[in-house]
Amino acid sequence: MTNLGQRSQVEEGPPHGGQGRPEAAHWDWNSTYWRELASPWGGAHASAPDVSRFLLEFLKPQGATVLRPETAALMVRNHTAMLGKDRGLGFALGEGAGAGCSAETFWHGGATGTLAWADPHTGTRFVLLSTLPATTANKLLIRPVSDLVSAAS
């Protein structure tokens, strides 16, 4: 049996989160299928302070130490202006992070209840990691807290 490591959701989560139920195993984020898919968009585990430090690579790309400065700058540049949604490489840009964020903000939200953003206009970084699916976490926790932090920046 595969060791699935750290779980992505709490077992006491809402019904649409699987709650660890056997009948939900085929779509539960903790299923063997999702954990072994090897997709670049899921299964990352880090602490909020580590994610916040990583955001500095993009907030101040000239001082990047993990990525080349040119790569970090490229990742927060808009590559989809003609599509009506501003996207960098791995980041959404502008609207959607927090009500008080500037148009320069780059951010990434996750399906398992996470949001990380940095606003170059204010220098503010925000990271909230939860174990609930985004549909629940965004409404109850992530969006209200993000809006408070971005409005106070």
Side-chain angles (χ1 to χ4, degrees):
M1 172 141 183
T2 301
N3 178 359
L4 298 179
Q6 195 68 25
R7 294 186 60 80
S8 294
Q9 300 170 2
V10 294
E11 291 185 19
E12 295 79 23
H16 62 274
Q19 293 181 313
R21 297 174 308 187
E23 67 272 17
H26 68 285
W27 54 265
D28 184 331
W29 288 111
N30 297 300
S31 69
T32 301
Y33 171 80
W34 287 110
R35 298 302 292 263
E36 292 183 353
L37 185 60
S39 60
W41 49 261
H45 296 279
S47 68
D50 284 346
V51 173
S52 181
R53 280 190 293 276
F54 188 59
L55 289 175
L56 283 175
E57 293 284 299
F58 311 100
L59 192 59
K60 299 179 181 180
Q62 68 280 5
T65 58
V66 175
L67 302 170
R68 290 186 323 187
E70 304 82 30
T71 302
L74 184 67
M75 291 178 70
V76 293
R77 185 179 314 140
N78 188 6
H79 295 278
T80 61
M82 71 298 270
L83 299 177
K85 287 244 181 210
D86 295 341
R87 298 282 189 260
L89 302 175
F91 291 106
L93 306 173
E95 187 176 311
C101 288
S102 76
E104 302 164 3
T105 301
F106 55 91
W107 60 278
H108 186 86
T112 55
T114 63
L115 178 62
W117 56 260
D119 187 341
H121 184 71
T122 63
T124 304
R125 291 174 286 158
F126 175 88
V127 178
L128 199 155
L129 308 174
S130 78
T131 56
L132 289 173
T135 53
T136 300
N138 281 338
K139 182 174 69 175
L140 298 177
L141 177 66
I142 293 173
R143 295 299 171 180
V145 174
S146 179
D147 287 347
L148 285 171
V149 170
S150 63
S153 302

